[in-house]
């Protein structure tokens, strides 16, 4: 007879082995290695809460220091490889297999470990894709998460930066897994219960607060006049024309420039209330002037930003806050909003090819792409209409069944740092797939999802292209003096411009002489503090006064 409760029995055995090291659900920090060794078994699938910002860093460090003779061949599943400890587990032989979404700061080291045969990659996922697999074939057996506080019963308070915690814990707890949480403090009563105690097995107060990266914060002082010009063209040529109200901005100075032009340039065009009202976005400090000017009605966030807590508390009409006054972010739900409820994604990339495929994966770096493929894709399951979605659908329609289209905009300068061209004949992703043994080239956003490309040369509206040749020449037409741009068919590019597929600043009625930093609503971090009425408290690295 089959045992239908084997997982539950295995869970009880793990809990029994851990019992000597805990009092109730709480254990001391110096017993962390003992507890992890007790609950882990070779071959376990383990989720470490490695997010874009919030890190279960104490637990990750202790995991990396376990004895590989006892704990080995772990299968790590996590969103972001952000810390050295996230790869130390592979270097030390504790883990051998990896499924993840993004590895930004560890991208180079990840490529080296893969090349040395010290790990195997199952797949590079989008966030939603990985979360979905937590509930199907990649369910964690043991999960290491973090929170702001816990009570002694094990109720968790995540504070403003919930991020991935709910999806990790629910997937693990309801498949008889083990959930271990590091918290900054253990209190008598948590301000609100974000994760109920029934879902949590063990809690430890870490020796220092968990690490949080202010990933989305951009200093306005570093925004260039070229980025101001590109932002002006985007606002007038895309936001205004499509009446974009629900949107997501990617990380970068290009989109920060747009945010800082809303109270100035967009205001001068009479666009308040007509564009950029509802956001799926971290609480970017660069959005403060637009919020104060009345452009922004609501913001739901993937994570939080250090220093924004008092401002968020004081602007509860805009942010999703609890009764305690702090925000509750949620990466899975905000990704879902970005995929299905937003009409536009606009972000940057490192390389774009002649079909409009883009990637941040380059030779020697396996960076992954996080949530951009979800945000930057046309959700074919969407069924509700909006002015933006329907207009884009009409432009793309070339016979057949009418449907809407999400705007997916790539905004890049033609040359990146060190004069590396952003436009290429072939993405590095092809060679990277071959060297890493990946099933597919790691493309971030596929070209058939991209609707517009914005550079300092102008805007290419790919929705209006009717042939592959037109699409290629539209891309070449805004690629500037890169080899791709110099390879344009000049006559065809001028024809595309006559048809409004390519539009330069002059075609849009954008006065290039106004494209200076003076147009920004804030030109420094100190300006953002002033705009917040002193509520924004920037991290130390952003303070120069």
């Amino acid at each position: 007879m089959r045992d239908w409760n084997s997982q539950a029995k295995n869970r009880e055995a793990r809990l029994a082995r851990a019992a000597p090291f805990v009092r109730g659900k709480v254990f001391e920090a110096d017993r962390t290695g003992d507890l992890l060794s007790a609950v882990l078994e070779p071959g376990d699938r383990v989720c470490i809460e490695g997010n874009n910002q919030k890190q279960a860093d104490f637990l990750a460090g202790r995991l990396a220091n376990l004895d590989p003779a006892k704990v080995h061949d772990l299968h790590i599943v996590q969103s972001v490889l952000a810390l050295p400890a996230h790869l130390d587990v592979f270097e030390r032989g504790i883990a051998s297999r990896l499924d993840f979404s993004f590895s930004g700061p560890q991208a180079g080291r990840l490529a080296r470990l893969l090349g040395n045969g010290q790990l195997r990659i199952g797949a590079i996922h989008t966030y939603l894709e990985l979360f979905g697999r937590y509930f199907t074939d990649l369910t964690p057996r043991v999960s290491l998460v973090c929170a702001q506080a816990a009570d002694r019963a094990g109720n968790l308070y995540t504070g403003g930066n919930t991020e991935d915690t709910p999806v990790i814990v629910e997937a693990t707890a309801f498949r008889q897994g083990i959930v271990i949480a590091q918290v900054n403090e253990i209190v008598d009563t948590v301000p609100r219960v974000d994760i109920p105690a029934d879902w949590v097995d063990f809690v430890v107060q870490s020796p220092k607060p968990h690490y949080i990266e202010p990933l989305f914060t951009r200093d306005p002082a570093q925004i260039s006049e070229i980025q101001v010009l590109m932002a002006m063209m985007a606002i007038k040529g895309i936001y205004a024309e499509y009446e974009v109200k629900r949107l997501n901005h990617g990380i970068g100075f290009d989109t920060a420039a747009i945010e800082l032009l809303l109270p100035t340039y967009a205001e001068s065009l009479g666009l308040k209330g007509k564009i950029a009202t509802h956001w799926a976005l971290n609480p970017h400090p660069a959005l403060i002037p637009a919020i104060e000017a009345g452009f922004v009605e609501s913001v739901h966030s993937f994570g939080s930003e250090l220093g924004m807590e008092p401002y968020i508390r004081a602007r509860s009409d805009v942010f999703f806050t609890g009764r305690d006054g702090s925000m509750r972010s949620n990466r899975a739900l905000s990704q879902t909003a970005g995929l299905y409820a937003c009409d536009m994604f606009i972000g940057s990339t490192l390389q774009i090819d002649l079909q409009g495929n883009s990637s941040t994966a380059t030779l020697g770096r396996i960076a992954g792409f996080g949530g951009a493929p979800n945000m930057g894709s046309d959700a074919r399951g969407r069924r509700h209409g909006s002015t933006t979605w329907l207009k884009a659908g009409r432009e793309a329609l070339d016979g057949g069944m009418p449907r809407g289209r999400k705007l997916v905009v790539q905004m890049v300068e033609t040359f990146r740092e060190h004069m590396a061209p952003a436009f290429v004949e072939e993405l590095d992703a092809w060679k990277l797939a071959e060297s890493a043994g990946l099933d597919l080239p790691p493309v971030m956003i596929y070209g058939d999802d991209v609707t517009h490309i914005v550079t300092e040369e102008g805007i290419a509206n790919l929705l209006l292209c009717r042939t592959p040749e037109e699409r290629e020449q539209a891309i070449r037409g805004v690629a500037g003096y890169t080899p791709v741009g110099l390879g344009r068919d000049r006559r065809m590019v001028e024809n595309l411009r006559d048809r409004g597929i390519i539009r330069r600043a002059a075609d849009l009625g954008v006065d290039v002489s106004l494209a200076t930093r003076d147009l920004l609503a804030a030109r420094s971090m100190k300006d953002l503090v002033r705009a917040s009425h002193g509520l924004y408290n920037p991290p130390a690295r952003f303070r120069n006064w």
Side-chain angles (χ1 to χ4, degrees):
M1 293 290 292
R2 175 175 173 177
D3 182 355
W4 293 98
N5 297 293
S6 60
Q7 291 188 82
K9 291 175 181 176
N10 176 262
R11 167 184 158 79
E12 292 304 318
R14 294 175 191 245
L15 294 176
R17 294 198 300 266
F21 311 115
V22 297
R23 182 178 301 169
K25 291 190 176 183
V26 177
F27 63 97
E28 298 300 322
D30 60 3
R31 304 309 300 269
T32 302
D34 296 324
L35 183 127
L36 290 175
S37 295
V39 300
L40 287 167
E41 297 177 358
D44 272 345
R45 189 178 297 121
V46 177
C47 181
I48 307 169
E49 186 160 15
N51 300 337
N52 257 345
Q53 299 171 280
K54 185 179 68 167
Q55 309 295 330
D57 52 348
F58 173 68
L59 291 175
R62 288 296 190 270
L63 178 67
N65 285 320
L66 297 182
D67 182 356
K70 297 179 180 178
V71 179
H72 52 84
D73 291 311
L74 299 183
H75 179 182
I76 302 297
V77 293
Q78 70 184 78
S79 296
V80 180
L81 303 169
L83 306 176
H86 294 155
L87 291 180
D88 290 347
V89 292
F90 297 99
E91 203 161 63
R92 299 198 64 240
I94 294 165
S96 59
R97 183 176 174 85
L98 172 67
D99 281 274
F100 75 109
S101 295
F102 182 64
S103 66
Q106 302 299 324
R109 187 182 175 199
L110 176 59
R112 290 193 298 273
L113 289 174
L114 182 68
N116 294 338
Q118 291 175 279
L119 62 82
R120 303 187 313 277
I121 293 177
I124 305 172
H125 302 73
T126 73
Y127 289 134
L128 278 180
E129 180 181 19
L130 185 61
F131 298 159
R133 292 192 70 188
Y134 288 173
F135 290 93
T136 52
D137 61 329
L138 287 184
T139 307
R141 197 77 190 108
V142 177
S143 286
L144 313 178
V145 301
C146 58
Q148 173 63 32
D151 60 23
R152 296 193 176 277
N155 294 299
L156 301 185
Y157 169 61
T158 56
N161 213 323
T162 305
E163 281 206 82
D164 299 4
T165 316
V167 71
I168 295 170
V169 173
E170 183 160 341
T172 307
F174 287 88
R175 282 284 286 170
Q176 308 301 326
I178 302 291
V179 176
I180 306 170
Q182 73 170 72
V183 297
N184 295 343
E185 57 182 343
I186 295 176
V187 298
D188 292 331
T189 304
V190 291
R192 69 169 188 253
V193 175
D194 288 309
I195 306 292
D198 286 352
W199 301 6
V200 180
D201 297 294
F202 304 112
V203 173
V204 60
Q205 182 171 326
S206 56
K208 61 180 181 180
H210 59 253
Y211 179 77
I212 299 181
E213 172 71 16
L215 186 68
F216 295 82
T217 298
R218 292 293 181 269
D219 186 346
Q222 297 186 49
I223 294 174
S224 70
E225 294 192 342
I226 287 178
Q227 289 163 338
V228 173
L229 173 61
M230 291 166 59
M232 292 170 70
M233 289 192 289
I235 288 171
K236 192 162 188 183
I238 300 176
Y239 290 63
E241 291 200 6
Y242 291 89
E243 299 179 52
V244 179
K245 290 188 172 183
R246 303 178 304 182
L247 69 160
N248 166 257
H249 276 187
I251 305 173
F253 290 102
D254 301 315
T255 48
I258 294 173
E259 291 155 17
L260 290 170
L261 289 188
L262 291 176
T264 58
Y265 184 64
E267 174 76 38
S268 73
L269 298 176
L271 296 176
K272 185 190 293 187
K274 298 178 181 178
I275 66 167
T277 56
H278 296 79
W279 299 70
L281 190 74
N282 267 36
H284 293 14
L287 202 59
I288 290 172
I291 293 172
E292 296 300 304
F295 267 81
V296 179
E297 293 183 25
S298 76
V299 178
H300 188 268
S301 301
F302 310 92
S304 190
E305 286 296 300
L306 284 173
M308 284 288 286
E309 297 86 357
Y311 184 77
I312 292 167
R313 186 181 299 272
R315 301 291 183 270
S316 62
D317 280 356
V318 173
F319 297 98
F320 284 70
T321 58
R323 305 297 184 270
D324 65 308
S326 73
M327 186 179 74
R328 176 178 162 116
S329 63
N330 188 303
R331 185 165 303 280
L333 294 182
S334 216
Q335 284 285 329
T336 303
L339 179 61
Y340 281 105
C342 285
D343 291 320
M344 183 177 76
F345 164 81
I346 181 167
S348 194
T349 188
L350 295 181
Q351 290 186 335
I352 301 177
D353 68 13
L354 296 177
Q355 289 75 49
N357 301 304
S358 66
S359 184
T360 54
T362 56
L363 290 176
R365 297 182 72 254
I366 305 177
F369 17 66
N374 294 139
M375 315 303 283
S377 64
D378 184 36
R380 299 183 69 85
R382 174 173 166 173
R383 292 296 180 269
H384 71 281
S386 70
T387 299
T388 307
W389 191 70
L390 294 171
K391 177 178 171 65
R394 288 193 298 271
E395 288 189 352
L397 185 62
D398 190 17
M401 180 68 71
R403 57 180 298 269
R405 276 290 297 266
K406 181 180 182 180
L407 296 178
V408 177
V409 183
Q410 294 284 259
M411 188 175 185
V412 294
E413 294 181 50
T414 54
F415 286 93
R416 300 183 286 112
E417 59 183 9
H418 310 304
M419 293 304 291
F423 293 86
V424 295
E425 299 280 345
E426 181 182 273
L427 298 176
D428 283 359
W430 287 94
K431 294 185 178 68
L432 186 59
E434 183 179 351
S435 65
L438 302 175
D439 293 333
L440 297 168
V443 171
M444 181 176 70
I445 297 177
Y446 285 107
D448 54 7
D449 278 322
V450 177
T451 63
H452 296 76
I453 296 175
V454 182
T455 74
E456 70 272 23
E457 297 286 323
I459 299 176
N461 184 343
L462 304 184
L463 288 170
L464 299 175
C465 295
R466 292 295 176 255
T467 67
E469 185 181 15
E470 285 187 354
R471 188 179 185 85
E472 176 181 325
Q473 291 301 322
I475 293 171
R476 289 187 186 273
V478 295
Y481 291 94
T482 64
V484 164
L486 293 174
R488 73 186 66 177
D489 180 324
R490 294 184 180 277
R491 179 176 294 179
M492 190 168 182
V493 165
E494 285 307 309
N495 175 260
L496 293 175
R497 186 178 177 186
D498 291 340
R499 290 165 54 193
I501 294 174
I502 293 174
R503 291 194 293 175
R504 313 295 186 196
D507 304 328
L508 293 164
V510 171
D511 186 347
V512 177
S513 68
L514 297 178
T516 71
R517 285 179 42 79
D518 290 340
L519 200 57
L520 297 172
R523 293 181 287 279
S524 68
M525 296 300 288
K526 195 170 185 178
D527 286 346
L528 291 178
V529 174
R530 291 194 190 100
S532 75
H533 306 283
L535 292 169
Y536 174 47
N537 181 29
R541 77 174 79 166
F542 291 103
R543 287 183 170 272
N544 56 7
W545 67 91

